[in-house]
Amino acid sequence: MYEITLLEPWEMMAGAPMASEFYTACERLLPEVEARHRRRWLKYTQAVLESRPLAEVFMLAVDALQSDLPTTRVLRQRLALLVERFTG
């Protein structure tokens, strides 16, 4: 799920000028879309992890993985490590 919803769009935006500003503007200008998106992520993450609190923590961790605008390769590695720790 995160491969499609996080990494594929990230790959398209990686290295683009003002990529972080684009994400910030989307969150500010389209809050209902962002909220709907997060609810859907929570629903699916919770289905996999079988715990709402655990799913919420996982999602917060995923947000943090992106905070320094890493390359797609680095983000993919971070996400794989996070998934391994949460599911392994």
Side-chain angles (χ1 to χ4, degrees):
M1 171 182 81
Y2 282 86
E3 179 75 31
I4 293 168
T5 60
L6 175 67
L7 293 174
E8 285 184 11
W10 191 266
E11 193 166 39
M12 291 187 322
M13 295 295 293
M18 299 178 63
S20 65
E21 289 86 353
F22 173 75
Y23 284 118
T24 302
C26 287
E27 289 175 359
R28 191 180 80 249
L29 296 173
L30 305 167
E32 68 282 348
V33 173
E34 175 68 15
R36 188 172 55 241
H37 180 74
R38 293 202 64 81
R39 282 192 306 272
R40 206 172 283 141
W41 267 23
L42 179 58
K43 176 183 173 183
Y44 297 134
T45 304
Q46 183 177 344
V48 171
L49 298 177
E50 300 176 345
S51 165
R52 183 182 180 101
L54 195 56
E56 290 171 343
V57 169
F58 184 88
M59 289 176 58
L60 288 169
V62 169
D63 288 343
L65 296 179
Q66 307 167 63
S67 64
D68 62 344
L69 302 176
T71 64
T72 303
R73 181 182 61 77
V74 169
L75 183 56
R76 181 173 278 115
Q77 289 171 341
R78 290 174 179 178
L79 185 59
L81 180 60
L82 187 65
V83 168
E84 179 183 317
R85 294 295 177 180
F86 270 76
T87 61

